[in-house]
Amino acid sequence: MVLWKQRFFVACALFSWVSLIYSAFVTTIISVIGLALILYFLRLAWPTDWQKRAGLEFNRKSLLLGLGATSIFLGIFRFYYAQVAVRSEVTIELIAVAPHALPGMIFTLVQTCAEEIILGSLLLRFVQDRCQSLSETWATVIVAVVFGLMHVVFYQSGLILPKEILHPMSLAGLTLAGVLRNLLIVRFGHIAYAWALHFSWNLYMFHSPMLRSGVALSEAAKFNLLFGAWEF
C-alpha cells in the first residue's frame, strides 16, 4: 500500500479514537461506532495483518482467560478501594451492577478496548518499528511514560473537564500501570489481558463515587487519592 494512504487511514483511526473519548458526554452508541471506525481504518491501513497490529489476534482460550483475569482484577481493586476508603476517611460507593449503570459499563468496555489498541498495541509496534535498536523493555517504558503524560495533559488542558493537576505520585502510578499493561501485550502478543486490567480499573475508577465531607471528588482527585496523594 502507498505510504501516504496508510498514514491517512491511521490518522482516521486516531481521529475516531478521539471522537470516542468525547462521546462519553453524548451517548454510548456513538462510542461503539467510534470503535468500529477504528477497526475499519486499521483494516484499510494494514489489510493483511491489521488484527496483529491492533493486538486482537487472540483465540477463544485467551478470551476466556481474559474474562477470568477480569474477575480477579475486579476482586483485587475492590479490596484496594476498601482499604483506601478506611485509611483516607473518604466514602467510596463501590459500583453495583444495575440497569441504569449498564450504558456506562458498555462505554468503559469500548473505551478501554480502543485505548489498548491505540496506546497499547499500535503505539508499541510503532516505537519498535521506528527504533529497532531498542529492547522490548525500553519500548514498554517509553510507551508507558507517554500513557502517563497524556493523562497529565488531559486534566491540565481543561478541554473537557475543569483544569486540574495530577500529583507526581499519580503520574508515577499511571506510568507503572502502563508498564504492566505493555508487558502483558509484549509477552502474549495481544491485548486481552491488558484490556482486562484496564477495564477493571476504569470500571471502579469512573463508576464509583468518592465523597470527602459529602463533596464528590473529581476524576483527577480520585487519581491522586488512589495513588497515595490523599491530602492533595
Side-chain angles (χ1 to χ4, degrees):
M1 176 179 291
V2 180
L3 185 58
W4 73 264
K5 287 186 177 181
Q6 187 178 79
R7 290 176 176 174
F8 172 75
F9 291 136
V10 172
C12 289
L14 293 174
F15 177 78
S16 300
W17 172 57
V18 173
S19 301
L20 185 154
I21 295 174
Y22 278 87
S23 73
F25 301 88
V26 183
T27 174
T28 300
I29 295 176
I30 295 180
S31 70
V32 176
I33 296 174
L35 177 59
L37 288 173
I38 290 172
L39 299 179
Y40 172 72
F41 287 121
L42 291 183
R43 186 169 184 174
L44 290 178
W46 293 284
T48 58
D49 64 342
W50 70 274
Q51 287 178 296
K52 181 178 181 180
R53 287 184 173 274
L56 297 175
E57 203 171 55
F58 48 79
N59 54 30
R60 184 179 301 177
K61 179 181 178 181
S62 297
L63 184 60
L64 291 174
L65 288 174
L67 292 174
T70 300
S71 300
I72 294 173
F73 289 139
L74 285 173
I76 293 173
F77 294 146
R78 189 178 188 89
F79 174 79
Y80 178 68
Y81 273 52
Q83 298 305 306
V84 170
V86 171
R87 297 186 180 187
S88 64
E89 298 182 353
V90 169
T91 301
I92 301 179
E93 301 174 5
L94 291 176
I95 186 172
V97 178
H100 71 273
L102 188 59
M105 292 180 179
I106 294 175
F107 173 79
T108 301
L109 186 68
V110 172
Q111 178 262 329
T112 51
C113 177
E115 199 161 305
E116 291 308 314
I117 291 172
I118 300 295
L119 294 182
S121 183
L122 206 62
L123 185 56
L124 266 173
R125 293 185 185 281
F126 174 81
V127 172
Q128 289 175 321
D129 289 345
R130 289 304 180 95
C131 307
Q132 296 182 3
S133 60
L134 282 179
S135 64
E136 288 185 341
T137 301
W138 275 111
T140 61
V141 171
I142 291 172
V143 174
V145 170
V146 171
F147 175 75
L149 289 175
M150 285 189 69
H151 283 78
V152 174
V153 172
F154 176 79
Y155 288 110
Q156 291 187 353
S157 67
L159 292 176
I160 300 180
L161 301 172
K163 187 180 296 185
E164 295 184 88
I165 297 176
L166 283 183
H167 192 276
M169 291 181 67
S170 295
L171 174 58
L174 286 165
T175 302
L176 288 175
V179 169
L180 176 57
R181 181 274 301 275
N182 295 338
L183 287 175
L184 287 171
I185 295 174
V186 169
R187 170 64 178 82
F188 295 101
H190 55 70
I191 67 169
Y193 307 131
W195 185 12
L197 174 66
H198 200 165
F199 170 72
S200 302
W201 174 266
N202 278 21
L203 191 63
Y204 279 130
M205 169 69 190
F206 297 110
H207 302 289
S208 296
M210 301 182 189
L211 307 173
R212 178 181 280 132
S213 301
V215 178
L217 297 184
S218 64
E219 287 185 13
K222 285 183 179 182
F223 274 118
N224 293 332
L225 174 73
L226 292 169
F227 287 116
W230 296 342
E231 302 303 325
F232 188 72

